[in-house]
Amino acid sequence: MSSPDGAERGARRGGEWLLTLSLLAALLAALMPVLRVVKPGGWLLGSVAIATAVLAAGYVARRFRLPAVAVSLAEAGVWVVFMTVVFLRGTALLWVVPTPETLRAVPPLVDDAVDQIVFGAAPLDDSTALAFIIVGSMGLLALIVDHVVITARMPLLASIGIVAVSLIPAIAVPREVDVVAFVFLAVAILFLLRTETRSRERPLERDAERTAGVPATALGIGAIAVVVTIVATPLLPQPTARPATGLGPGPGIDATLQLGDDLRRPEEVEVLRVRTDAPSPPYLRATTLSRFEGGVWEPDRVRTVPIDSDLGLGRVTVGPDVRVTEYTTSVEVMNLASIWLPVSYPAVEVSGLDGRWAAVPYNRTVISQSGTTQGQNYEVLSNQPRPTLEQIRSYNAGGPELRDETTQLPEDTPEIITELAAEVTAGATNDYDRLIALQRWFRGGEFRYSLEAPVEDGFDGSGAEAVAQFLEQREGYCVHFASAFALMARSLHMPTRIVVGYLPGVATTDVLEEQTVYTVSSSLLHAWPEVFFDNVGWVSFEPTAGLGVPTSFSPASTVPGETDDPSTATPGATPTPTSTGGADPDSGLNPRDETLPGTAITSANPLPALGVVLLVVLVLALPFLARELRRRQLTLAARSGDAASAWTMVQDAAIDVGITVPASESPRAFAQRLIDRHGVSADDMYALVVAIERASYAPSGGRDYWIGDAATDAAASVRSQLVASAPVSRRILSVIAPRSLIVRPGSVYAGGVPATR
């Protein structure tokens, strides 16, 4: 016969094995959200393998009764060997032992992964660098939570860490809540907490009275979180934007031309307030995209310099006799969280920023080194080239200093793109006139602005195939117009790129320093093409039907010296519209029958908020409703003669008001304590004791229907007396958060301590 100590050691080993499995389940659940931002690949198998290997190493080390430090060192050794063999074996000794060359190979992998995360589009393609980061992080997380849960016995802290890690992908790329992944994570966390709790119940717990209710509270919070997610998620308003590159509250800027969801969101949000001394409000650019590989436009990866350095954004260089006009634009960020700062073009100086910001001279943009645009209030100085019509017609589109990626076209570019480009521009004799012909063709009435048609017909993207289908169907939004224009211009051997930013805002009644204040809403997020001209620089065009005013330049005869003509579009920077929401006045189009970017911001619908409030009230009432349902079930069973149900009603009532219900206490002793300390009626308790003893010890056992009503009435009376004798705070908690739903009579958390041997 085995000794009690041996049985306890066996139970402890079994508990640790189950606890290790629960840890692995929680880690895998935390990994699920990553599948939404990185395409499945080798990193997924590697993450599962390294977490399993690290946790298994810890379990084996504990079986040999190694100290906690040795266990952690063993797990760290497994992590190093795994990462070396899988990712760095070419630099290691015997494929396993790291060398100095192995250490030197790590920073390039990390830098490559960071570049992919910062400049890539979700879901990111699987790569060695990303796999290195994800798998390595998973292994380190497994090592940390193993120590925190099994060695330090702090499962709640580890659970918070696991949940925080699982939220990182959602913060980076907010989308609709993945209910399945959340429920899986919640169940895994609850299983982890319960497993760790049961492993504590085996040895003697001398401080049970002090710790009673803490794990129960954690379990209750977790259970309510699961219910809220399942019930509330479909009713909650969807996020107002998808800040793929922003951190913190507020909409963001998706620099991957995946703007459709942002433009289709149900409610607009004011993101910026702008005022300027220019004749009309400028477009505000965030970043540019030049590299096109057939499937998606990629944000430019460019060198940055400190914005306050001598290099900075640099001066604007133009050809001889080309006018340059200086404008100042003030921007106040109301609700925008992005690493890219919206600026007018071409910016030469930005002042008033808080935090660390860097300038990108290549495309004259500004990017954050830490933090986001949220709450910034800054001023942009821009120098805009203003050539005459004769000058721009005499310049060629192109230049020797341009990157090759601005002219590249995929080999499998659909023929419709090149054929239509040649057909539309057949009568033009210079590059500028060819581009104007393209712009006029897109805005001339054959194309229609639509946010829904690309989704309904399956070409909601900016790739070559999506552009080809757009050119056939001739319905789409800014992404399709800009991509089609840029690719068609490239087929004519002109360097192009796409800009992501905001259309000019809508004028308000506010005036500050004699300048009209314009409001820019989230629906004005926009994409437009640019073409590089020698002696001028990058010139923007507006092919999107119904938005803005098409780019044009005035003949020299109409330029009255240095006076700016407000009706003329601002060249070189962005097409400067005289209106942002109506149809092109020269196109013959009627205003679109769809709600367009640029309309006034409407008041919020109060129904979703009211629904959320009602839902919160319902969720808070769930414990009370569950407790009432359980009480009614026990009452029905007790009236049918089940004395145990009547006795359980009393035990549950005691637990709810904070009275201990230890397993080592007999029914008579428990009844006497309630009578002596809590003023319960002796007659009621005597009726209950007789009923439970008769059911437990009488030869007949089973149900005594003759005693059912008496025991049930006595139990209800005792329950009322216990609630009445409890402090007010306990009474409230017994209603809104009854502990008896998750705390069993006789358990450690009900105040029960196993008797000592």
Side-chain angles (χ1 to χ4, degrees):
M1 186 174 180
S2 61
S3 66
D5 290 340
E8 184 172 317
R9 284 195 299 270
R12 186 179 295 111
R13 285 196 298 269
E16 289 185 0
W17 175 80
L18 191 59
L19 191 56
T20 300
L21 284 183
S22 66
L23 269 177
L24 180 60
L27 290 171
L28 297 182
L31 189 66
M32 287 184 65
V34 182
L35 292 168
R36 305 183 71 181
V37 294
V38 183
K39 295 179 180 178
W43 65 268
L44 183 58
L45 179 61
S47 298
V48 175
I50 196 170
T52 304
V54 169
L55 294 177
Y59 176 74
V60 172
R62 291 186 185 91
R63 288 293 300 272
F64 287 96
R65 298 187 180 181
L66 297 179
V69 174
V71 172
S72 296
L73 289 176
E75 292 176 331
V78 169
W79 181 85
V80 170
V81 170
F82 188 97
M83 296 296 293
T84 302
V85 171
V86 174
F87 296 100
L88 304 166
R89 58 181 176 274
T91 64
L93 182 63
L94 299 177
W95 293 359
V96 175
V97 182
T99 64
E101 187 179 353
T102 304
L103 299 179
R104 287 193 293 269
V106 172
L109 282 173
V110 175
D111 291 341
D112 190 18
V114 171
D115 285 343
Q116 293 180 52
I117 294 170
V118 172
F119 298 108
L124 300 172
D125 292 327
D126 180 31
S127 68
T128 301
L130 279 176
F132 179 82
I133 292 293
I134 297 173
V135 173
S137 300
M138 187 67 170
L140 290 176
L141 181 62
L143 192 156
I144 293 170
V145 298
D146 179 82
H147 177 82
V148 172
V149 173
I150 299 181
T151 302
R153 290 291 178 176
M154 292 188 290
L156 193 57
L157 177 62
S159 300
I160 294 172
I162 292 173
V163 171
V165 170
S166 72
L167 291 177
I168 293 175
I171 294 172
V173 187
R175 296 180 181 176
E176 292 183 359
V177 177
D178 187 344
V179 177
V180 174
F182 183 87
V183 170
F184 181 32
L185 177 62
V187 171
I189 294 295
L190 293 175
F191 179 59
L192 170 62
L193 292 173
R194 185 55 182 157
T195 303
E196 198 279 338
T197 298
R198 289 196 172 185
S199 69
R200 288 193 186 203
E201 291 179 359
R202 301 183 186 281
L204 176 64
E205 291 287 339
R206 299 184 184 276
D207 58 345
E209 286 283 342
R210 179 175 58 87
T211 60
V214 176
T217 302
L219 290 172
I221 293 172
I224 292 174
V226 174
V227 173
V228 170
T229 301
I230 295 175
V231 177
T233 298
L235 303 179
L236 291 176
Q238 295 301 315
T240 55
R242 185 180 56 223
T245 56
L247 300 174
I253 297 174
D254 189 335
T256 63
L257 292 193
Q258 316 242 348
L259 307 181
D261 290 341
D262 293 325
L263 295 174
R264 281 186 290 268
R265 60 181 163 266
E267 295 183 6
E268 297 182 18
V269 177
E270 184 183 39
V271 293
L272 305 170
R273 288 209 155 206
V274 180
R275 56 187 178 87
T276 181
D277 59 7
S280 56
Y283 284 41
L284 298 176
R285 68 179 48 215
T287 189
T288 59
L289 304 92
S290 302
R291 189 171 67 258
F292 182 76
E293 298 178 351
V296 66
W297 290 86
E298 296 286 350
D300 291 326
R301 302 182 182 184
V302 289
R303 177 181 62 90
T304 62
V305 297
I307 197 169
D308 55 356
S309 68
D310 294 336
L311 296 175
L313 291 166
R315 64 187 184 90
V316 174
T317 303
V318 297
D321 301 326
V322 174
R323 286 194 308 155
V324 176
T325 307
E326 182 176 284
Y327 296 119
T328 301
T329 302
S330 299
V331 182
E332 180 182 3
V333 178
M334 308 300 294
N335 191 21
L336 175 67
S338 170
I339 61 172
W340 287 296
L341 190 76
V343 295
S344 54
Y345 183 83
V348 295
E349 182 180 330
V350 180
S351 58
L353 291 172
D354 294 328
R356 296 173 54 234
W357 294 84
V360 183
Y362 171 71
N363 57 9
R364 295 189 178 274
T365 58
V366 179
I367 189 170
S368 173
Q369 305 272 287
S370 63
T372 70
T373 55
Q374 190 69 30
Q376 296 287 342
N377 197 332
Y378 55 97
E379 193 171 86
V380 183
L381 181 67
S382 59
N383 291 340
Q384 295 184 353
R386 300 176 64 84
T388 64
L389 177 61
E390 293 80 5
Q391 288 173 328
I392 193 71
R393 279 177 167 167
S394 67
Y395 300 145
N396 292 323
E401 71 277 11
L402 293 174
R403 296 182 176 187
D404 292 339
E405 62 190 23
T406 61
T407 58
Q408 290 176 344
L409 274 177
E411 295 181 359
D412 58 348
T413 299
E415 293 182 357
I416 188 174
I417 295 176
T418 56
E419 291 175 354
L420 281 176
E423 178 184 333
V424 172
T425 62
T429 59
N430 58 74
D431 287 343
Y432 173 74
D433 285 345
R434 294 185 183 94
L435 295 168
I436 290 298
L438 282 176
Q439 179 178 259
R440 187 180 299 115
W441 180 66
F442 279 113
R443 302 176 64 93
E446 295 186 27
F447 287 83
R448 188 176 74 91
Y449 185 98
S450 173
L451 290 172
E452 305 304 331
V455 177
E456 295 171 357
D457 298 315
F459 63 96
D460 191 16
S462 58
E465 293 299 329
V467 168
Q469 191 169 347
F470 162 72
L471 291 175
E472 291 179 355
Q473 187 158 333
R474 305 198 174 182
E475 288 183 308
Y477 51 93
C478 62
V479 168
H480 303 94
F481 285 94
S483 296
F485 187 101
L487 294 180
M488 292 173 76
R490 285 191 181 186
S491 73
L492 301 174
H493 312 291
M494 302 184 197
T496 64
R497 68 186 182 188
I498 292 180
V499 185
V500 174
Y502 286 97
L503 285 163
V506 178
T508 68
T509 57
D510 297 338
V511 176
L512 187 62
E513 297 181 1
E514 299 183 353
Q515 295 176 351
T516 299
V517 177
Y518 295 83
T519 177
V520 179
S521 68
S522 54
S523 66
L524 294 181
L525 190 62
H526 191 52
W528 63 92
E530 288 185 331
V531 181
F532 187 88
F533 277 83
D534 191 23
N535 293 318
V536 177
W538 288 99
V539 177
S540 297
F541 291 84
E542 183 56 276
T544 303
L547 286 183
V549 170
T551 296
S552 63
F553 294 88
S554 301
S557 59
T558 65
V559 179
E562 296 298 319
T563 303
D564 295 321
D565 183 3
S567 65
T568 303
T570 303
T574 53
T576 303
T578 56
S579 63
T580 60
D584 181 359
D586 298 327
S587 67
L589 289 175
N590 292 324
R592 297 188 299 272
D593 57 355
E594 301 180 47
T595 301
L596 296 180
T599 55
I601 298 177
T602 58
S603 59
N605 184 356
L607 291 181
L610 181 60
V612 170
V613 171
L614 294 176
L615 184 63
V616 170
V617 173
L618 175 61
V619 169
L620 292 177
L622 285 178
F624 167 76
L625 296 176
R627 178 69 186 89
E628 282 300 299
L629 178 61
R630 173 177 167 80
R631 187 177 65 82
R632 290 179 181 276
Q633 291 174 337
L634 291 174
T635 300
L636 290 175
R639 291 201 181 279
S640 66
D642 186 2
S645 295
W647 188 253
T648 302
M649 290 172 61
V650 174
Q651 291 179 314
D652 285 353
I655 292 172
D656 288 341
V657 297
I659 299 173
T660 58
V661 185
S664 58
E665 197 171 33
S666 69
R668 285 189 175 273
F670 177 61
Q672 192 61 47
R673 181 157 59 88
L674 294 185
I675 295 169
D676 295 341
R677 299 185 185 180
H678 302 283
V680 173
S681 168
D683 293 338
D684 290 335
M685 286 309 305
Y686 175 75
L688 286 167
V689 169
V690 169
I692 191 63
E693 288 182 344
R694 180 179 177 83
S696 301
Y697 306 119
S700 61
R703 298 175 182 263
D704 285 326
Y705 295 96
W706 64 270
I707 206 172
D709 288 339
T712 304
D713 293 340
S717 176
V718 169
R719 178 179 177 277
S720 299
Q721 295 171 49
L722 289 175
V723 172
S725 65
V728 175
S729 59
R730 284 288 187 183
R731 294 184 203 174
I732 296 174
L733 285 176
S734 70
V735 174
I736 65 175
R739 295 174 63 236
S740 59
L741 288 176
I742 51 179
V743 176
R744 297 173 301 170
S747 69
V748 170
Y749 305 106
V753 180
T756 57
R757 291 188 293 271

